[in-house]
Amino acid sequence: GKGGEKVVSNKFQTLKQNEMKYLGDMNSPVLIITTGVTNQVCLEVMGSNSMSEKVRLLHLLKLNNLDQQVLKEFLTFCKKIIIVEEHQKRGGILTQILHFLHSQKIRNLEISHLSLGEEFIRNYGNQREHFANSEITYEKILKEIEDFYEN
């Protein structure tokens, strides 16, 4: 793992020549899409007993040239997408997914986005502290999922 984090690649199923990895029930209506170090926070959610069958996780190893056929298959049963990324709001996974949804004329999904925001981060600290300041946390992701199932 990067930065001393646990190596988690053996938990995932691999898709598309090592460009994407997934974990969870393909029939779940909630899909978390993540990349990089935010995958660790998402794995904490996936490890929760209450969420293990309600959510699936798609870990993107690259941001560009996403396989549209694989994404389309992932969205078959999807009603909510939670995008969790270590990037600013524009130019990351959200932008890629929105372009894909628009090009495929897919409009019936609820989308949540957890990112570092738009402002330059002026605080010092480690990644976990920056994630906490931006609400990229286990608790926030869990709340997004619980709110979906309550409505």
Side-chain angles (χ1 to χ4, degrees):
K2 188 162 74 171
E5 294 160 343
K6 291 186 267 181
V7 176
V8 295
S9 59
N10 58 348
K11 294 182 180 185
F12 288 88
Q13 300 285 337
T14 301
L15 302 168
K16 187 63 179 161
Q17 299 173 336
N18 248 355
E19 292 177 10
M20 302 178 184
K21 294 180 180 266
Y22 78 93
L23 185 64
D25 182 357
M26 286 295 287
N27 297 320
S28 169
V30 178
L31 173 63
I32 299 173
I33 302 176
T34 190
T35 187
V37 296
T38 53
N39 185 49
Q40 298 292 332
V41 179
C42 297
L43 280 171
E44 290 176 29
V45 172
M46 295 298 291
S48 167
N49 290 336
S50 63
M51 292 297 132
S52 60
E53 295 182 15
K54 294 181 177 181
V55 182
R56 47 200 161 118
L57 174 62
L58 181 62
H59 180 214
L60 305 177
L61 303 178
K62 296 199 250 180
L63 290 182
N64 296 318
N65 303 320
L66 299 178
D67 186 299
Q68 293 195 1
Q69 186 58 39
V70 171
L71 281 177
K72 204 168 196 174
E73 288 173 27
F74 261 85
L75 296 176
T76 302
F77 298 104
C78 192
K79 301 288 182 218
K80 177 173 180 83
I81 298 173
I82 303 170
I83 298 171
V84 182
E85 60 183 318
E86 63 194 279
H87 305 108
Q88 291 188 322
K89 286 188 176 190
R90 297 182 184 143
I93 299 172
L94 178 66
T95 302
Q96 295 288 330
I97 297 300
L98 290 176
H99 280 277
F100 170 76
L101 294 173
H102 177 73
S103 71
Q104 299 296 311
K105 296 181 175 36
I106 299 171
R107 304 196 191 328
N108 59 341
L109 293 173
E110 183 180 329
I111 300 173
S112 297
H113 184 227
L114 305 177
S115 72
L116 295 177
E118 293 189 41
E119 300 295 322
F120 180 78
I121 298 172
R122 297 188 185 284
N123 299 338
Y124 291 100
N126 63 33
Q127 271 178 342
R128 286 287 176 166
E129 291 169 337
H130 287 299
F131 288 173
N133 288 336
S134 300
E135 294 189 322
I136 301 174
T137 62
Y138 168 88
E139 294 81 13
K140 179 68 175 178
I141 298 168
L142 204 59
K143 182 166 178 14
E144 290 285 340
I145 297 165
E146 290 169 346
D147 287 352
F148 170 79
Y149 278 104
E150 287 176 6
N151 295 326

